[in-house]
Amino acid sequence: SQTIHQWPATLVQPVGSPLSLECTVEGTSNPNLYWYRQAAGRGLQLLFYSVGIGQISSEVPQNLSASRPQDRQFILSSKKLLLSDSGFYLCAWSPGTRAEAFFGQGTRLTVV
Amino acid sequence: DAKTTQPPSMDCAEGRAANLPCNHSTISGNEYVYWYRQIHSQGPQYIIHGLKNNETNEMASLIITEDRKSSTLILPHATLRDTAVYYCIVSNINQAGTALIFGKGTTLSVSS
């Protein structure tokens, strides 16, 4: 069966510090991968999606970036965090042949 | 932008059916209707999806109108654990480069 791992679960970082969130998927190959963010009291915002290694599409301009160094690994990064980067970050994957997407448990990031 | 319109909130008594409506008047022929829910502080959970026929699984039923411009998610016997934000999404994530775009959803409150 397929599983998605996302870590850490919670993170407190100072303004201006770097960020690296990692997401891995097991039990499938060539998944579509996604990063979403949910600010406090708001809806889910799509940040990045990837249909293959090295293929990243950005939905919203921001100081975040994403990379896919391996087929089942998706990394969200920032060189310098802003207060506005605080939120609940969710990684998700979908297979190419089925319709539904599956979400990780999320990382709650607080920038102080 | 989300392509769906949902009421911001609904209440339901425990044990009764919860009927959550969704309008998607601009849906295109190859787009599916997806329903997800998000329980507080967790990642979204897939519930059901459909193209034009009604669908049923162990969690819920999905009724899509003949013109496909609206749909209803039915939880036949709501429980307290069904309290969550329910998202109706139209998309075709089997198409390369397409992702799920979440709107604000409907907050369903189930009470005893």
Side-chain angles (χ1 to χ4, degrees):
Chain A
S1 63
Q2 301 89 4
T3 56
I4 181 169
H5 301 279
Q6 187 180 344
W7 67 91
T10 60
L11 189 61
V12 180
Q13 291 285 99
V15 168
S17 64
L19 173 73
S20 181
L21 300 180
E22 188 165 345
C23 171
T24 59
V25 181
E26 295 179 354
T28 188
S29 60
N30 196 31
N32 297 327
L33 296 171
Y34 314 88
W35 277 110
Y36 288 85
R37 176 174 63 195
Q38 188 169 37
R42 304 188 67 178
L44 283 155
Q45 179 186 37
L46 176 66
L47 300 176
F48 301 96
Y49 65 89
S50 171
V51 298
I53 295 175
Q55 301 178 60
I56 309 294
S57 295
S58 175
E59 289 294 300
V60 182
Q62 60 226 324
N63 71 322
L64 300 170
S65 62
S67 62
R68 184 170 177 174
Q70 300 181 44
D71 181 45
R72 292 169 291 175
Q73 184 184 31
F74 206 23
I75 298 172
L76 182 70
S77 304
S78 173
K79 293 182 179 178
K80 290 184 178 182
L81 284 169
L82 306 173
L83 288 175
S84 58
D85 291 324
S86 294
F88 189 41
Y89 288 82
L90 287 152
C91 179
W93 75 276
S94 66
T97 56
R98 285 164 49 196
E100 61 265 40
F102 303 91
F103 285 78
Q105 288 304 300
T107 295
R108 192 162 301 280
L109 171 68
T110 303
V111 182
V112 296
Chain B
D1 292 336
K3 302 177 183 179
T4 62
T5 303
Q6 299 177 254
S9 63
M10 293 184 64
D11 296 319
C12 182
E14 190 177 21
R16 303 296 295 268
N19 298 291
L20 291 88
C22 179
N23 288 322
H24 33 80
S25 59
T26 61
I27 190 170
S28 62
N30 63 348
E31 289 181 318
Y32 290 75
V33 179
Y34 300 87
W35 282 86
Y36 285 76
R37 72 179 182 184
Q38 187 177 21
I39 296 171
H40 183 62
S41 296
Q42 297 183 21
Q45 176 190 24
Y46 165 81
I47 301 173
I48 199 167
H49 75 280
L51 185 63
K52 54 184 178 181
N53 297 322
N54 298 337
E55 303 287 345
T56 296
N57 62 20
E58 65 278 5
M59 291 183 68
S61 295
L62 174 60
I63 308 298
I64 303 174
T65 58
E66 190 170 348
D67 63 7
R68 302 213 318 129
K69 293 185 177 182
S70 65
S71 61
T72 301
L73 178 75
I74 302 172
L75 308 178
H77 305 286
T79 70
L80 298 178
R81 289 176 293 181
D82 291 322
T83 293
V85 179
Y86 287 77
Y87 297 98
C88 169
I89 305 166
V90 295
S91 183
N92 181 10
I93 63 171
N94 282 335
Q95 180 178 336
T98 303
L100 295 172
I101 305 299
F102 288 78
K104 296 182 178 179
T106 296
T107 300
L108 175 67
S109 300
V110 181
S111 57
S112 56

